[in-house]
Amino acid sequence: MSEIQGNGLSTKWIGIVAVLFGILLLANHGNEFLKQLVVAPGSVAELGVPADCRADELEEEGLSLLECELMVSNIQITLASSPDWFRSALLALSFGGILFALLSIAVGMSFVNRTSPIGKLAGVCFAGLVAIDLLIFIAATNTGPLLRAQYLWSTLLWFFVHLSLLSAVFSVSKQPNLDSD
Amino acid sequence: MAKPLPKAKVLVHWLVAASVFFLFVSSWWMLSLPLPSENFTYRQLPFQLHKNVGITVLVMVVAMIAMRIIAKRQQPQSPLTRLERLADLDHLLTYFLLIACCVSGYLSSSYSGWETTLWWLIDLPNWSAENDDLNILFSDIHLWTCWALLAIVALHIGAALYHGFRNDEVIDKMFRL
């Protein structure tokens, strides 16, 4: 079995960070995928049906009548700010994000234990995640201002997290024997 | 190199971790969806998925506890350091809060009158007819145990990072599949 050489502690930390952020990213993309499935164009909120706010439900949820009505407006905002292509693009990107997040967890675990030559795979994984962040950023930039505001900052944060991991992997792979027996 | 943990234990740990974070993130979002009614069904899929993942987490936590008990029995008894006792307490509290969070969520759903079909395959029984008071009570317990769980998870991650900085073998074992 091959050992990843170089600074053992730094490769271990790349692994720990990759797994921790991989778990969070999995939750993030999983939720985004769910969100795009649920908030579909042509659904009832877009048809202008008024909110159904029963007093007992409001009490149970601790909501005001206005908040209940704005929950429907929230869906209308998402749909009104989304270009036609946005939902399918985000479904594809978040599905890709789920797969790459799983890969980053696997890659991170290998880095912690330094047991296999995974430099190239790690590079592909984090480059893929950077590409997905960039594509989501570009997609969000082309939506209306109300939706754009929800996406840009969090996507930028993920972009820099993944760029840092990609740089770290690139840096340790330049040290001798990362990808060789 | 430290003695490796059973693969099943490591796998279940990470499955529970991923599920718990997904449950937090998705529940914050799904509670912003319009209240359910005949017209508005936006909450149907996210709530059903939330319950499915939550019940699966409960099963996995029970399996984790069983594995922990078996492992403890097989270990030679030796006095624990203060940090080891704290780590044990953290684990017990995490298991307790995971179970309390999942069970209270299921009971709240049960008393709300909504049906639960596990992974769209198995109809789970409701404990009684709809009861608003009990629904609100268990919903509050669900809320507060889950907030407490988030706090203990943060502590757990902090402790894992502590072991990472010490570069000891504790963290390596949890990352070895």
Side-chain angles (χ1 to χ4, degrees):
Chain A
M1 198 179 283
S2 302
E3 285 277 330
I4 293 172
Q5 300 297 311
N7 182 340
L9 192 57
S10 67
T11 53
K12 183 186 222 175
W13 273 97
I14 295 170
I16 291 172
V17 172
V19 172
L20 181 60
F21 280 107
I23 293 280
L24 296 174
L25 188 69
L26 190 60
N28 186 55
H29 280 304
N31 190 51
E32 185 59 43
F33 190 78
L34 181 62
K35 198 191 283 186
Q36 297 303 329
L37 278 182
V38 169
V39 183
S43 59
V44 68
E46 208 176 30
L47 303 176
V49 177
D52 195 353
C53 303
R54 283 167 34 206
D56 59 329
E57 290 268 13
L58 294 180
E59 191 193 343
E60 201 177 292
E61 299 258 340
L63 294 171
S64 66
L65 179 61
L66 181 60
E67 278 179 306
C68 174
E69 288 166 350
L70 288 173
M71 283 168 153
V72 177
S73 305
N74 206 18
I75 301 276
Q76 290 168 337
I77 284 171
T78 303
L79 294 172
S81 275
S82 305
D84 292 341
W85 49 266
F86 185 75
R87 183 170 177 253
S88 48
L90 262 281
L91 275 170
L93 287 170
S94 54
F95 184 70
I98 290 170
L99 297 180
F100 274 100
L102 287 169
L103 184 62
S104 77
I105 294 168
V107 160
M109 286 188 174
S110 304
F111 260 69
V112 172
N113 287 293
R114 303 183 294 280
T115 51
S116 51
I118 48 153
K120 279 192 186 118
L121 182 60
V124 169
C125 171
F126 296 122
L129 286 169
V130 165
I132 286 173
D133 296 333
L134 267 178
L135 288 170
I136 294 177
F137 192 85
I138 292 166
T141 309
N142 287 288
T143 63
L146 295 168
L147 198 57
R148 207 183 299 153
Q150 291 177 26
Y151 280 96
L152 288 187
W153 181 238
S154 61
T155 309
L156 200 62
L157 281 178
W158 279 116
F159 171 77
F160 282 111
V161 167
H162 295 136
L163 188 65
S164 305
L165 283 164
L166 179 63
S167 309
V169 166
F170 188 67
S171 162
V172 294
S173 71
K174 288 290 159 198
Q175 294 171 18
N177 299 327
L178 180 67
D179 276 322
S180 60
D181 287 336
Chain B
M1 190 177 272
K3 188 182 167 213
L5 291 172
K7 282 186 170 49
K9 190 173 181 177
V10 178
L11 185 66
V12 172
H13 169 269
W14 289 110
L15 280 174
V16 169
S19 304
V20 164
F21 278 110
F22 173 73
L23 288 173
F24 272 111
V25 174
S26 61
S27 65
W28 291 334
W29 164 72
M30 74 189 192
L31 286 172
S32 72
L33 290 169
L35 293 180
S37 68
E38 211 170 288
N39 287 322
F40 291 93
T41 55
Y42 292 100
R43 288 190 178 197
Q44 226 166 49
L45 172 67
F47 269 70
Q48 190 60 52
L49 187 64
H50 186 82
K51 289 192 273 187
N52 289 341
V53 177
I55 292 165
T56 309
V57 165
L58 181 62
V59 173
M60 288 193 287
V61 171
V62 170
M64 282 170 89
I65 293 171
M67 283 188 268
R68 190 178 176 86
I69 292 170
I70 292 167
K72 284 266 177 197
R73 279 188 182 163
Q74 288 168 349
Q75 271 173 5
Q77 296 294 319
S78 56
L80 298 176
T81 64
R82 197 165 59 92
L83 266 183
E84 285 169 337
R85 280 203 300 271
L86 271 177
D88 265 359
L89 183 67
D90 171 76
H91 282 112
L92 286 177
L93 208 50
T94 307
Y95 293 141
F96 169 76
L97 287 171
L98 278 166
I99 290 173
C101 201
C102 294
V103 171
S104 58
Y106 173 60
L107 288 175
S108 165
S109 164
S110 187
Y111 286 114
S112 73
W114 290 93
E115 286 170 0
T116 303
T117 308
L118 187 59
W119 294 111
W120 295 276
L121 292 172
I122 306 162
D123 288 326
L124 296 181
N126 278 353
W127 287 93
S128 76
E130 191 175 338
N131 183 324
D132 282 347
D133 290 338
L134 285 173
N135 175 23
I136 290 171
L137 171 72
F138 283 112
S139 177
D140 285 347
I141 294 173
H142 185 59
L143 181 74
W144 289 108
T145 49
C146 292
W147 281 125
L149 177 64
L150 188 61
I152 208 81
V153 165
L155 193 69
H156 188 80
I157 293 171
L161 294 176
Y162 165 83
H163 284 294
F165 276 115
R166 279 169 57 100
N167 201 20
D168 58 27
E169 291 182 323
V170 173
I171 203 155
D172 297 26
K173 288 194 286 185
M174 221 58 233
F175 285 75
R176 195 174 294 142
L177 255 179

Short mmCIF file of all heavy atoms in Angstrom, two decimals, chain B residues 145-176:
data_model
loop_
_atom_site.label_atom_id
_atom_site.label_comp_id
_atom_site.label_asym_id
_atom_site.label_seq_id
_atom_site.Cartn_x
_atom_site.Cartn_y
_atom_site.Cartn_z
N THR B 145 -34.91 19.83 21.92
CA THR B 145 -33.89 18.77 21.92
C THR B 145 -33.01 18.88 20.67
O THR B 145 -31.82 18.58 20.73
CB THR B 145 -34.52 17.35 22.00
OG1 THR B 145 -35.55 17.26 21.01
CG2 THR B 145 -35.08 17.04 23.36
N CYS B 146 -33.61 19.34 19.57
CA CYS B 146 -32.80 19.47 18.35
C CYS B 146 -31.82 20.65 18.46
O CYS B 146 -30.68 20.55 17.98
CB CYS B 146 -33.68 19.61 17.12
SG CYS B 146 -34.57 18.09 16.77
N TRP B 147 -32.25 21.75 19.10
CA TRP B 147 -31.30 22.85 19.33
C TRP B 147 -30.16 22.37 20.23
O TRP B 147 -28.99 22.68 20.00
CB TRP B 147 -31.99 24.05 19.97
CG TRP B 147 -32.78 24.91 19.02
CD1 TRP B 147 -34.10 25.25 19.12
CD2 TRP B 147 -32.30 25.55 17.83
NE1 TRP B 147 -34.47 26.03 18.07
CE2 TRP B 147 -33.39 26.25 17.26
CE3 TRP B 147 -31.07 25.60 17.16
CZ2 TRP B 147 -33.30 26.98 16.08
CZ3 TRP B 147 -30.98 26.34 15.98
CH2 TRP B 147 -32.08 27.02 15.46
N ALA B 148 -30.52 21.61 21.27
CA ALA B 148 -29.49 21.09 22.18
C ALA B 148 -28.56 20.14 21.43
O ALA B 148 -27.34 20.13 21.65
CB ALA B 148 -30.14 20.37 23.37
N LEU B 149 -29.14 19.36 20.51
CA LEU B 149 -28.33 18.43 19.71
C LEU B 149 -27.33 19.21 18.85
O LEU B 149 -26.16 18.82 18.75
CB LEU B 149 -29.25 17.57 18.82
CG LEU B 149 -28.54 16.62 17.88
CD1 LEU B 149 -27.76 15.56 18.65
CD2 LEU B 149 -29.53 15.94 16.93
N LEU B 150 -27.80 20.31 18.27
CA LEU B 150 -26.89 21.10 17.44
C LEU B 150 -25.70 21.60 18.28
O LEU B 150 -24.55 21.58 17.82
CB LEU B 150 -27.65 22.28 16.82
CG LEU B 150 -26.89 23.09 15.77
CD1 LEU B 150 -26.50 22.23 14.57
CD2 LEU B 150 -27.72 24.28 15.29
N ALA B 151 -26.01 22.02 19.52
CA ALA B 151 -24.94 22.50 20.41
C ALA B 151 -23.95 21.38 20.73
O ALA B 151 -22.73 21.57 20.68
CB ALA B 151 -25.54 23.06 21.69
N ILE B 152 -24.48 20.20 21.01
CA ILE B 152 -23.60 19.08 21.38
C ILE B 152 -22.81 18.58 20.17
O ILE B 152 -21.67 18.14 20.30
CB ILE B 152 -24.41 17.95 22.09
CG1 ILE B 152 -23.52 17.17 23.05
CG2 ILE B 152 -25.04 16.98 21.15
CD1 ILE B 152 -23.31 17.80 24.36
N VAL B 153 -23.42 18.68 18.98
CA VAL B 153 -22.70 18.31 17.75
C VAL B 153 -21.52 19.28 17.53
O VAL B 153 -20.42 18.86 17.16
CB VAL B 153 -23.66 18.29 16.54
CG1 VAL B 153 -22.89 18.28 15.23
CG2 VAL B 153 -24.56 17.06 16.59
N ALA B 154 -21.77 20.56 17.80
CA ALA B 154 -20.69 21.56 17.66
C ALA B 154 -19.55 21.22 18.62
O ALA B 154 -18.36 21.27 18.25
CB ALA B 154 -21.22 22.96 17.93
N LEU B 155 -19.92 20.83 19.85
CA LEU B 155 -18.92 20.44 20.84
C LEU B 155 -18.15 19.20 20.37
O LEU B 155 -16.92 19.11 20.51
CB LEU B 155 -19.63 20.14 22.16
CG LEU B 155 -18.79 20.01 23.41
CD1 LEU B 155 -18.20 21.36 23.79
CD2 LEU B 155 -19.63 19.47 24.57
N HIS B 156 -18.88 18.25 19.81
CA HIS B 156 -18.31 17.00 19.30
C HIS B 156 -17.30 17.30 18.18
O HIS B 156 -16.19 16.74 18.17
CB HIS B 156 -19.47 16.15 18.76
CG HIS B 156 -19.11 14.76 18.37
ND1 HIS B 156 -18.96 13.75 19.28
CD2 HIS B 156 -18.88 14.22 17.15
CE1 HIS B 156 -18.65 12.64 18.64
NE2 HIS B 156 -18.60 12.89 17.35
N ILE B 157 -17.67 18.21 17.27
CA ILE B 157 -16.75 18.55 16.17
C ILE B 157 -15.53 19.28 16.74
O ILE B 157 -14.39 19.03 16.33
CB ILE B 157 -17.48 19.42 15.11
CG1 ILE B 157 -18.55 18.57 14.41
CG2 ILE B 157 -16.49 19.98 14.08
CD1 ILE B 157 -19.48 19.36 13.51
N GLY B 158 -15.77 20.16 17.73
CA GLY B 158 -14.66 20.86 18.37
C GLY B 158 -13.68 19.87 18.99
O GLY B 158 -12.46 20.01 18.85
N ALA B 159 -14.23 18.86 19.66
CA ALA B 159 -13.37 17.84 20.30
C ALA B 159 -12.61 17.05 19.24
O ALA B 159 -11.42 16.73 19.43
CB ALA B 159 -14.23 16.90 21.14
N ALA B 160 -13.26 16.76 18.10
CA ALA B 160 -12.58 16.02 17.02
C ALA B 160 -11.42 16.86 16.47
O ALA B 160 -10.33 16.34 16.21
CB ALA B 160 -13.58 15.70 15.92
N LEU B 161 -11.67 18.16 16.31
CA LEU B 161 -10.61 19.04 15.80
C LEU B 161 -9.45 19.12 16.80
O LEU B 161 -8.28 19.18 16.42
CB LEU B 161 -11.16 20.44 15.50
CG LEU B 161 -12.19 20.50 14.36
CD1 LEU B 161 -12.76 21.91 14.22
CD2 LEU B 161 -11.58 20.07 13.03
N TYR B 162 -9.79 19.10 18.10
CA TYR B 162 -8.77 19.10 19.16
C TYR B 162 -7.84 17.89 18.98
O TYR B 162 -6.62 18.01 19.02
CB TYR B 162 -9.47 19.08 20.52
CG TYR B 162 -8.60 18.72 21.70
CD1 TYR B 162 -7.82 19.69 22.31
CD2 TYR B 162 -8.57 17.42 22.20
CE1 TYR B 162 -7.02 19.36 23.40
CE2 TYR B 162 -7.79 17.09 23.28
CZ TYR B 162 -7.01 18.07 23.87
OH TYR B 162 -6.22 17.73 24.94
N HIS B 163 -8.46 16.73 18.75
CA HIS B 163 -7.64 15.53 18.53
C HIS B 163 -6.83 15.65 17.25
O HIS B 163 -5.69 15.18 17.18
CB HIS B 163 -8.53 14.28 18.48
CG HIS B 163 -9.00 13.83 19.82
ND1 HIS B 163 -8.15 13.35 20.78
CD2 HIS B 163 -10.24 13.83 20.37
CE1 HIS B 163 -8.85 13.04 21.87
NE2 HIS B 163 -10.11 13.33 21.65
N GLY B 164 -7.43 16.30 16.24
CA GLY B 164 -6.70 16.51 14.98
C GLY B 164 -5.47 17.37 15.19
O GLY B 164 -4.38 17.06 14.70
N PHE B 165 -5.62 18.46 15.96
CA PHE B 165 -4.47 19.35 16.24
C PHE B 165 -3.40 18.65 17.07
O PHE B 165 -2.22 18.90 16.90
CB PHE B 165 -4.95 20.62 16.96
CG PHE B 165 -5.47 21.67 16.02
CD1 PHE B 165 -6.80 22.06 16.05
CD2 PHE B 165 -4.62 22.27 15.10
CE1 PHE B 165 -7.27 23.02 15.18
CE2 PHE B 165 -5.09 23.24 14.23
CZ PHE B 165 -6.41 23.60 14.27
N ARG B 166 -3.85 17.77 17.97
CA ARG B 166 -2.87 17.01 18.77
C ARG B 166 -2.16 15.96 17.93
O ARG B 166 -1.16 15.40 18.35
CB ARG B 166 -3.59 16.29 19.93
CG ARG B 166 -3.87 17.19 21.12
CD ARG B 166 -4.81 16.49 22.08
NE ARG B 166 -4.27 15.21 22.52
CZ ARG B 166 -3.66 15.02 23.69
NH1 ARG B 166 -3.51 16.02 24.51
NH2 ARG B 166 -3.21 13.84 24.02
N ASN B 167 -2.75 15.70 16.75
CA ASN B 167 -2.20 14.70 15.84
C ASN B 167 -2.10 13.33 16.51
O ASN B 167 -1.17 12.58 16.28
CB ASN B 167 -0.81 15.15 15.33
CG ASN B 167 -0.45 14.43 14.04
OD1 ASN B 167 -1.32 13.91 13.35
ND2 ASN B 167 0.84 14.37 13.73
N ASP B 168 -3.10 13.04 17.38
CA ASP B 168 -3.12 11.71 17.97
C ASP B 168 -3.92 10.77 17.04
O ASP B 168 -4.35 11.17 15.98
CB ASP B 168 -3.67 11.72 19.41
CG ASP B 168 -5.07 12.29 19.47
OD1 ASP B 168 -5.79 12.19 18.48
OD2 ASP B 168 -5.45 12.84 20.53
N GLU B 169 -4.11 9.54 17.47
CA GLU B 169 -4.70 8.56 16.55
C GLU B 169 -6.22 8.44 16.70
O GLU B 169 -6.85 7.66 16.00
CB GLU B 169 -4.04 7.20 16.76
CG GLU B 169 -2.59 7.22 16.28
CD GLU B 169 -1.92 5.88 16.44
OE1 GLU B 169 -2.20 5.20 17.45
OE2 GLU B 169 -1.13 5.51 15.57
N VAL B 170 -6.78 9.25 17.64
CA VAL B 170 -8.23 9.14 17.87
C VAL B 170 -8.99 9.48 16.60
O VAL B 170 -9.91 8.77 16.18
CB VAL B 170 -8.65 10.07 19.04
CG1 VAL B 170 -10.16 10.11 19.17
CG2 VAL B 170 -8.02 9.60 20.33
N ILE B 171 -8.59 10.59 15.98
CA ILE B 171 -9.33 11.04 14.80
C ILE B 171 -9.10 10.11 13.60
O ILE B 171 -10.00 9.89 12.80
CB ILE B 171 -8.98 12.51 14.48
CG1 ILE B 171 -10.11 13.12 13.65
CG2 ILE B 171 -7.64 12.66 13.78
CD1 ILE B 171 -10.22 14.59 13.77
N ASP B 172 -7.90 9.53 13.51
CA ASP B 172 -7.60 8.64 12.38
C ASP B 172 -8.58 7.46 12.32
O ASP B 172 -9.01 7.05 11.25
CB ASP B 172 -6.18 8.07 12.49
CG ASP B 172 -5.13 9.16 12.42
OD1 ASP B 172 -5.47 10.30 12.78
OD2 ASP B 172 -3.99 8.87 12.02
N LYS B 173 -8.93 6.95 13.51
CA LYS B 173 -9.79 5.75 13.55
C LYS B 173 -11.17 6.03 12.94
O LYS B 173 -11.74 5.19 12.29
CB LYS B 173 -9.98 5.31 15.01
CG LYS B 173 -8.73 4.71 15.61
CD LYS B 173 -9.06 3.97 16.90
CE LYS B 173 -9.36 4.92 18.04
NZ LYS B 173 -9.55 4.24 19.32
N MET B 174 -11.65 7.26 13.19
CA MET B 174 -12.99 7.61 12.72
C MET B 174 -13.01 7.91 11.22
O MET B 174 -14.09 8.03 10.63
CB MET B 174 -13.47 8.85 13.51
CG MET B 174 -14.89 8.82 13.94
SD MET B 174 -15.26 7.40 14.97
CE MET B 174 -16.65 6.71 14.11
N PHE B 175 -11.85 8.05 10.62
CA PHE B 175 -11.76 8.37 9.18
C PHE B 175 -11.32 7.16 8.36
O PHE B 175 -10.95 7.31 7.21
CB PHE B 175 -10.79 9.53 8.96
CG PHE B 175 -11.35 10.87 9.33
CD1 PHE B 175 -11.47 11.23 10.65
CD2 PHE B 175 -11.75 11.77 8.36
CE1 PHE B 175 -11.97 12.46 11.02
CE2 PHE B 175 -12.25 13.02 8.71
CZ PHE B 175 -12.36 13.37 10.06
N ARG B 176 -11.30 5.99 8.99
CA ARG B 176 -10.78 4.83 8.28
C ARG B 176 -11.92 3.87 7.93
O ARG B 176 -12.51 3.26 8.80
CB ARG B 176 -9.76 4.11 9.19
CG ARG B 176 -8.90 3.11 8.45
CD ARG B 176 -7.84 2.56 9.37
NE ARG B 176 -6.88 3.57 9.78
CZ ARG B 176 -6.35 3.65 11.00
NH1 ARG B 176 -6.68 2.80 11.93
NH2 ARG B 176 -5.47 4.60 11.28
#
